[in-house]
Amino acid sequence: MADQQEPGLEGAADDPLVRPYVIAQGRERGNAVQLDMISVVIAARADVDEMALEPEQVRILELCGRPQSVAEVSAHLDIPVAVVKVLLGDLISRGYALARAPYTQQSPVSRDILQAVLDGIQRL
Amino acid sequence: MESNVSEHGGQRIPSAIKILIAGGFGAGKTTLVGSVSEIAPLSTEEVMTEASMGVDDLAGVEAKTTTTVALDFGRITINDDLVLYLFGTPGQKRFWFMWEELALGALGAVVLADTRRLDTCFPAVDFFERHQLPFVVAVNCFDGADRYTEDEVQQALSLGADVPVLLCDARVRESGKAVLEALVRHVADRMATPV
Ligand SMILES: Nc1nc2c(ncn2[C@@H]2O[C@H](COP(=O)(O)OP(=O)(O)OP(=O)(O)O)[C@@H](O)[C@H]2O)c(=O)[nH]1
Ligand SMILES: [Mg+2]
């Protein structure tokens, strides 16, 4: 895994949209973690060795002190969803973050869930 | 596989579920998401890769360029264990490859029909029918536009008799809530009568 900072990466591109791509390219694809746009993630550890992580990953962990979806992480940090998935997948496989799959991928929607959704909407 | 841990250090990780808000360009999708969401609508950008562009060749899109698709979404916390996300889906046909991913595992969809150009929601209706995703049609009544009755819209869009049609004002929270409630009830009805 590309744990070492590539020299010059910091200054490689100032465009916040481009830079994450540079970072993500160094990652192995097809690792075990399959994230959905609405997988909910949370930071798992208090002791974060920031030197071992990409700066974007540190920002992701800071944001994930409270549960967030992949889409929310992407929107808040202005990093494309595909890149967030790669960075988070790495964090999860290294034990820095945990994820929960969307409801409908775990099991079909039950009547109880539909009722809960209805109640939640009515409470708005 | 994704870990199924839902409890962590006393903090629960909620599971998420999603509803799509579709419709033609300018039909009021972002407005509807915003009126019912507990957060200001967020926007996430997805860059179409060359591979994705291939799907789009029929639409005459140049295969070597990249395009940015903005998706906006809102959030409704249902309870400690469940969060509902509402995704406004980009209306143009060339973004349909995104709809495939968005539709996967969705609870259902709202098709916003714009009374000034009803036909712009045909593609969305077609898509959800083909994917057998339950949907309702919400007729967004723009000022000064022709008024339609629910029945007229049902006819104009050749909707199945069971597809709920509601008149709405996407700017008004109570109206948006009524639309979402109609969708959830429709999903429940469909479950009760297996096809
Ligand atoms: N009169 C009236 N105006 C509306 C209603 N819903 C939306 N609008 C207005 O219509 C315009 C377009 O609404 P948006 O919510 O941006 O539409 P959209 O479907 O997200 O548009 P795109 O994402 O560009 O396709 C805005 O100026 C809204 O204020 C409605 O129910 N009634
Ligand atoms: Mg919009």
Side-chain angles (χ1 to χ4, degrees):
Chain A
M1 232 174 281
D3 279 344
Q4 286 158 293
Q5 290 278 100
E6 284 173 47
L9 187 62
E10 282 300 324
D14 291 325
D15 185 341
L17 269 179
V18 174
R19 237 181 104 228
Y21 276 114
V22 178
I23 295 161
Q25 271 165 12
R27 295 267 174 250
E28 304 156 65
R29 302 253 165 189
N31 58 11
V33 188
Q34 276 288 327
L35 290 169
D36 187 273
M37 191 127 62
I38 58 165
S39 293
V40 178
V41 292
I42 188 170
R45 307 212 310 233
D47 59 321
V48 175
D49 176 8
E50 298 195 0
M51 298 306 286
L53 301 172
E54 307 291 353
E56 280 70 17
Q57 291 181 309
V58 176
R59 291 170 69 208
I60 290 175
L61 290 179
E62 281 165 7
L63 189 67
C64 293
R66 295 179 55 189
Q68 305 272 332
S69 63
V70 168
E72 279 170 299
V73 171
S74 162
H76 285 301
L77 299 183
D78 202 10
I79 303 174
V81 170
V83 180
V84 169
K85 285 181 182 172
V86 174
L87 295 172
L88 261 169
D90 180 55
L91 286 170
I92 291 165
S93 62
R94 292 161 69 188
Y96 282 104
L98 294 168
R100 187 162 175 204
Y103 196 88
T104 45
Q105 288 188 353
Q106 292 168 5
S107 55
V109 183
S110 68
R111 237 162 217 293
D112 288 351
I113 290 296
L114 286 181
Q115 189 60 52
V117 171
L118 201 54
D119 293 343
I121 292 167
Q122 283 165 346
R123 265 196 310 273
L124 278 176
Chain B
M1 267 324 296
E2 205 163 339
S3 84
N4 260 338
V5 186
S6 59
E7 194 98 33
H8 172 65
Q11 188 162 20
R12 278 192 90 78
I13 307 178
S15 184
I17 200 162
K18 68 188 161 185
I19 287 175
L20 309 187
I21 313 291
F25 181 73
K29 302 178 293 288
T30 305
T31 305
L32 178 63
V33 169
S35 70
V36 292
S37 174
E38 69 195 20
I39 54 171
L42 291 169
S43 176
T44 172
E45 299 206 319
E46 202 50 271
V47 178
M48 284 168 89
T49 62
E50 278 177 47
S52 312
M53 298 295 280
V55 179
D56 242 25
D57 282 349
L58 287 175
V61 177
E62 188 53 51
K64 283 280 149 60
T65 52
T66 55
T67 312
T68 306
V69 190
L71 267 185
D72 38 44
F73 63 98
R75 165 182 174 136
I76 298 171
T77 301
I78 300 299
N79 55 40
D80 283 353
D81 203 39
L82 191 62
V83 184
L84 170 65
Y85 288 98
L86 305 168
F87 281 92
T89 55
Q92 299 95 312
K93 256 191 178 164
R94 63 205 188 88
F95 295 142
W96 273 22
F97 75 94
M98 289 217 68
W99 288 39
E100 296 285 346
E101 187 189 345
L102 281 167
L104 202 68
L107 187 62
V110 172
V111 174
L112 269 176
D114 181 339
T115 43
R116 296 162 304 180
R117 351 158 234 219
L118 267 187
D119 57 328
T120 56
C121 72
F122 284 154
V125 168
D126 278 352
F127 181 91
F128 297 129
E129 281 177 348
R130 259 189 294 121
H131 288 72
Q132 302 193 355
L133 191 71
F135 66 96
V136 300
V137 173
V139 185
N140 211 4
C141 304
F142 283 88
D143 306 325
D146 289 344
R147 292 261 154 185
Y148 294 86
T149 64
E150 286 92 333
D151 283 349
E152 283 168 339
V153 173
Q154 195 114 30
Q155 295 248 313
L157 300 180
S158 327
L159 298 174
D162 64 319
V163 177
V165 179
L166 301 84
L167 303 181
C168 84
D169 185 327
R171 299 164 299 181
V172 178
R173 175 170 272 198
E174 287 305 317
S175 185
K177 280 169 63 173
V179 169
L180 294 181
E181 284 174 36
L183 173 63
V184 178
R185 291 215 163 83
H186 180 52
V187 173
D189 287 349
R190 295 231 320 192
M191 274 173 42
T193 48
V195 192

